[in-house]
Amino acid sequence: MARPMNPLPTTDGEDSPLVDFASTLRDLRSRAGAPTLAEMAKRSGVCTASLSDAHNGRGLPTWRTVCGYVRACGDDPALWRSRWESTRLTQRTGHAEDRHAALIKKWARTRQLTPPQWVKSEAELAELLDHMRRFYGLSLRDLARRSGGFSHHTFGAVLRGDRPVTADILVAILHACRVDPGAVQRWLSALGSVRPAELLRVQTYTSSIEAARRTQIAGRPAQGPRQDRWRNGLTPVNSTQEAPSRATPRARAS
């Protein structure tokens, strides 16, 4: 039998969407016969700690966790997607500055995750990238899994402002968030504006994207990149060869 769950936190209105969402997950679990977290972990592949955090109301769980939680309780995750996205959007805009909140709403409306023109500092760029990561419901570990080039510790340090935003890390985050090449170019341009030291790498990635676009227009398949591995797990672009189809990070060879 499942142990009693801890009481949900009291709210002053700001975090009520999180508590409401956690409450619906608790109701679902009760209707499923109150399986233990260990049973749910076995059914879903999500660890018990993440499952427990999902219904504690103190933070928005990632979509992967919600999907596993719902599936473990015998329900269809597709029926929960819009509810989770609505909670995520409310939670993000509620804690963001006014102009950041407006940007997040624009992302939700247009599905075009481009940077605003008012980015004036590297710290603000890092904050916007963290908004993007949360917008997609990705944890730092999700970024690491999807990018293959950096650890979740590195991503956390960059998004907190403890480490600089490099072009390689920026592209890894954009790749993990499945940002299209056109938008990638705009983020790279923003980085070049606030961190001139990265201009050379920015130009390398931008050239790669442009070369791939010309190749696509010409109707010719793009030639694969060299198999060199840099210490950061990304494949460098050689200006004397045809560029890869997208300027995305590659995983280290196993």
Side-chain angles (χ1 to χ4, degrees), residues 36 77 107 116 129:
T36 66
W107 286 349
L129 290 172

Side-chain angles (χ1 to χ4, degrees), residues 17-175:
L18 294 177
V19 174
D20 291 343
F21 186 75
S23 180
T24 60
L25 289 177
R26 290 177 177 227
D27 291 342
L28 175 64
R29 185 184 180 195
S30 296
R31 293 197 302 271
T36 66
L37 290 176
E39 292 171 337
M40 293 174 64
K42 183 179 295 186
R43 296 173 190 172
S44 66
V46 178
C47 70
T48 57
S50 294
L51 293 170
S52 178
D53 287 344
H55 63 222
N56 70 15
R58 292 177 174 79
L60 184 68
T62 66
W63 172 243
R64 177 177 178 272
T65 297
V66 173
C67 189
Y69 194 109
V70 171
R71 186 179 292 114
C73 293
D75 205 358
D76 183 1
L79 301 177
W80 287 73
R81 181 77 194 201
S82 62
R83 182 182 303 175
W84 174 80
E85 288 188 343
S86 177
T87 304
R88 176 188 61 178
L89 182 59
T90 301
Q91 192 256 347
R92 290 310 305 154
T93 56
H95 289 79
E97 295 180 6
D98 288 345
R99 60 180 180 173
H100 286 192
L103 176 65
I104 294 168
K105 289 178 179 178
K106 179 182 177 182
W107 286 349
R109 184 178 69 255
T110 65
R111 311 306 295 184
Q112 297 296 315
L113 274 71
T114 53
Q117 295 182 346
W118 41 258
V119 179
K120 300 300 181 184
S121 69
E122 186 180 346
E124 191 160 44
L125 181 65
E127 186 175 2
L128 289 172
L129 290 172
D130 198 38
H131 284 325
M132 177 190 294
R133 189 261 303 182
R134 294 173 184 274
F135 179 86
Y136 276 114
L138 300 176
S139 67
L140 295 174
R141 291 183 185 276
D142 290 332
L143 289 184
R145 279 192 293 267
R146 287 189 173 201
S147 68
F150 299 95
S151 72
H152 68 282
H153 297 293
T154 297
F155 284 123
V158 171
L159 297 179
R160 288 193 307 271
D162 294 336
R163 289 185 58 172
V165 181
T166 66
D168 295 334
I169 290 175
L170 172 66
V171 170
I173 293 172
L174 298 176
H175 172 67

